[in-house]
Amino acid sequence: MAATFFGEVVKAPCRAGTEDQEEEEDERRETAEDREVRRQLARKREVQLFRRQTKTSLEVSLLEKYPCSKFIIAIGNNAVAFLSSFVMNSGVWEEVGCAKLWNEWCRTTDTVHLSPTDAFCVFYHLKSNPSVFGSCPRKNMQVTVLTCRHVTDYKTAESTSSLHSPFLKALKTENFKEPPCCSLLEQPNIVHDLPAAVLSYCQVWKIPAILYLCYTDVTKLDLITVGAFKPVLSSRSLKGLVKNIPQSTEILKKLMTTNEIQSNIYT
Amino acid sequence: MFVPCGDSVPDLAGFTFLMPAVSVGNVGQLAIDLIISTLNMCKIGYFYTDCLVPMVGNNPYATAEENSTELSINAEVYSLPSKKLVALQLRSIFIKYKSKPFCEKLLSWVKSSNCAKVIVLSSSHSYHRNDLQLRSTPFRYLLTPFLQKTVQNKIKSLNWEEMEKSPCIPEIDDSEFCIRIPGGGITKTLYDEGCSKEIPMVVLLKFVSEGDNIPDALGLVEYLNEWLQIIKPCCDDPTASALQWKMPSSWRLLFGSGLPPALF
C-alpha cells in the first residue's frame, strides 16, 4: 500500500505479478458455466495452422510436412521488411502454410477471417534450394530469429541517450557453434515474448539457434533500422540465399513508400 | 517437465530441493540467486513449462568472459552434489490460471525424484501484518505435517516464529482462521499441494515491501543459513556475515540504465 500526494491510500502494483490470492478466489467462485466459458476462450486462443490457397488446416506440424535445415523467423515490421526485401526476393519462395491466432487484444472477434493487419504468420519454402525446407531431419536444423526492440529496453551503465542506435545484438543457444555477426547481448539484458519462446525451445531441445535483436529508437517501418540487419547477410544461414543486394535495397525503398502512403492519418 | 542438460537424468534422491515463490519484492528469487552464485552451483537442467512467461538472457552468474555466453531460460535447475542441494530458479511471472498446474507438475516431479525435503523461499506484504507481527521478527516459517521429526525438532530449537493464522475473510468478525500469505504468489498453493501430496516441505518467508529488496534477500538467506548452515558463519557480526554472500553479475543495473548527464 502506498499513500499518494493527496493522502489517499492505494494498492501499489507488485513486481512479482498478479495477486494470486485473487486468482484463487476467482477459481473458488467459478461456476460450471464460467469454467465452460473459460474452456471455450482457451480453444478460441489456440494457434491454427492452415493453407491459405485451399483454406484447409494442416493435419501435421509444418516441420513434419516440410522438414528443413534452415528455419528463419522474422518478428515485427522491420525484421519482416528485411527478410522480404533481401532474402525472399532472391529465388522463388512458395507459401506452404499460415498460422493465425486470436486473443482478447485483437480488434476483431472473428477468428475465421483475420485480415492481413491482424496478428498473422506466413510460412514460405524456397522452391529451388533443397537445403532450405529440404529433406534434412530436424536434428540438423538451424534456427535464425530476427526481431527489433526499442532502445530504451536496453540496459547499460551509460545513459541510453548516448547510444548510437540502431545497433544489433545476438543471443545464441549452446549448440550454435558459428561466431555471431555482432556482439552478444550482455547481462542484465533479457528478451521476452515469441523470440524468447523460440530460443528457449531450441536451448532445451539442443537445436542450434541464434536471435539477432536490433535495438532502435524508431518503432515504425524505417530504412535505417532495416539496414541495421545487413551484417546478418554474411551469416551461414543467409549467405547462400541473398543474390542481389542493390535490387533488394530498391525493393525495400518501394516497401517504405507503400507503407508511408497507407499510414496517412487522414484516410 | 524436467529436461536434463546432459544425456542422463541426475539422481536427486535424498537431496534438499530449494525453490523460490515469485512473490512481493521477488525476495525468494533474489535469495535463490545468492545461493546459486555463492555456492557456484552447476546447471543440471531446465524445467520446461508453458506456465511461465518466456524469457531468455545470457548467463546471470557469469564470472568471466568465457562463461558469460551460456543461454539461460525462465526456469532452470542447479545442483551442488557435495551438499546434496538442488535449486530451481524461476525468472518470470506466471501466466494467468497456470500457477496451480505448475505447482502440481513441479511437486509431482520433486516427489518422483525422491528429494528429502522441499524448502520454499518467499515473502509476504508487510502492510498486511497485524499489531503483534509488527512488533516481532519479520521472518516466519511453515511446515507440512510430513516433515521428518528430526527436521521439525531442529527448527523448533531455533525459536523461530511460525506463520500465524489470520481470518479467512477479514471483514467478518467471526470468520474462520486459516493460513493466508498475501503477496506470496504460489506459496500458499505450494504449501497446500505439499500437504495433500504428503511432501516434506518448509516455507521460509519474510514480510517485505517493494523497493530495493536486496537486504531482504540477504536477510532471508541468513535466516535459512541459521538452520541449513549452507555456508559457515565466519563470526557473530551480522554485517560481516552478509558479505559472505556473492551477488551475481546480473544484479547490475537493477533500477535501470545510467542517467543522462544533461539531467544535472
Side-chain angles (χ1 to χ4, degrees), chain B residues 59-71:
Chain B
N59 185 8
Y61 311 113
T63 46
E65 194 68 43
E66 295 76 44
N67 59 19
S68 64
T69 59
E70 295 155 19
L71 198 69

Side-chain angles (χ1 to χ4, degrees), chain B:
Chain B
M1 60 179 285
F2 176 71
V3 181
C5 285
D7 296 317
S8 58
V9 179
D11 180 17
L12 301 176
F15 275 51
T16 297
F17 188 88
L18 292 164
M19 67 170 289
V22 180
S23 58
V24 56
N26 306 96
V27 176
Q29 294 158 288
L30 292 171
I32 293 286
D33 257 356
L34 282 171
I35 294 169
I36 294 172
S37 172
T38 308
L39 298 177
N40 207 15
M41 291 173 85
C42 243
K43 182 155 64 178
I44 57 165
Y46 309 96
F47 199 77
Y48 191 61
T49 174
D50 63 350
C51 301
L52 289 163
V53 168
M55 157 260 140
V56 288
N58 274 328
N59 185 8
Y61 311 113
T63 46
E65 194 68 43
E66 295 76 44
N67 59 19
S68 64
T69 59
E70 295 155 19
L71 198 69
S72 272
I73 69 166
N74 56 11
E76 296 186 319
V77 185
Y78 297 78
S79 90
L80 187 66
S82 58
K83 287 199 197 291
K84 289 206 130 182
L85 278 177
V86 57
L88 166 72
Q89 179 60 301
L90 301 175
R91 299 197 174 98
S92 60
I93 55 173
F94 286 97
I95 290 171
K96 205 164 169 63
Y97 303 120
K98 295 274 195 164
S99 52
K100 193 156 194 282
F102 176 82
C103 293
E104 287 163 4
K105 279 182 235 173
L106 177 69
L107 293 181
S108 276
W109 170 60
V110 168
K111 189 162 189 181
S112 63
S113 304
N114 296 311
C115 291
K117 57 186 177 290
V118 178
I119 302 175
V120 181
L121 300 181
S122 180
S123 53
S124 183
H125 282 306
S126 58
Y127 67 78
H128 267 280
R129 286 177 292 173
N130 60 29
D131 293 343
L132 267 168
Q133 288 169 329
L134 276 168
R135 280 178 252 151
S136 62
T137 167
F139 298 101
R140 292 290 183 279
Y141 76 91
L142 267 175
L143 309 176
T144 58
F146 307 95
L147 201 58
Q148 301 86 348
K149 264 275 173 265
T150 44
V151 179
Q152 284 187 33
N153 293 338
K154 172 77 182 152
I155 289 182
K156 291 206 156 77
S157 71
L158 293 164
N159 289 321
W160 282 354
E161 297 269 359
E162 192 170 2
M163 185 67 175
E164 301 91 338
K165 290 195 172 156
S166 53
C168 293
I169 306 163
E171 295 80 14
I172 299 179
D173 284 334
D174 57 354
S175 158
E176 273 179 20
F177 276 63
C178 59
I179 300 284
R180 290 174 75 240
I181 309 173
I186 56 169
T187 310
K188 180 78 180 9
T189 313
L190 279 169
Y191 178 71
D192 291 339
E193 266 302 293
C195 289
S196 70
K197 278 200 163 74
E198 301 183 354
I199 292 177
M201 183 189 285
V202 178
V203 174
L204 297 183
L205 63 87
K206 186 180 188 223
F207 291 116
V208 303
S209 301
E210 292 272 341
D212 179 357
N213 299 106
I214 294 176
D216 298 310
L218 283 164
L220 194 61
V221 290
E222 286 289 333
Y223 184 55
L224 172 69
N225 204 42
E226 253 184 77
W227 163 36
L228 277 193
Q229 299 278 297
I230 305 174
I231 59 175
K232 292 273 171 282
C234 60
C235 57
D236 288 319
D237 179 10
T239 42
S241 57
L243 292 170
Q244 295 176 84
W245 298 98
K246 187 168 107 189
M247 294 195 207
S249 50
S250 56
W251 282 20
R252 282 177 61 236
L253 308 175
L254 274 177
F255 300 102
S257 292
L259 298 167
L263 201 63
F264 307 106

Side-chain angles (χ1 to χ4, degrees), chain A residues 101-111 114 117-120:
Chain A
L101 62 95
W102 174 88
N103 63 38
E104 290 84 339
W105 287 353
C106 290
R107 267 164 271 157
T108 167
T109 47
D110 185 354
T111 52
L114 278 174
T117 51
D118 294 322
F120 219 59

Side-chain angles (χ1 to χ4, degrees), chain A residues 39 43 203 211 223 229 256:
Chain A
R39 257 196 297 270
R43 253 196 302 266
Q203 173 73 1
L211 160 67
L223 253 175
F229 281 110
M256 296 285 165

Side-chain angles (χ1 to χ4, degrees), chain A residues 39 45 51 59 120 149 153 179 181 205 246 251 255:
Chain A
R39 257 196 297 270
R45 288 160 119 256
R51 283 199 70 112
E59 303 84 33
F120 219 59
R149 277 289 177 275
D153 278 349
C181 306
W205 302 111
I251 295 169
L255 250 177

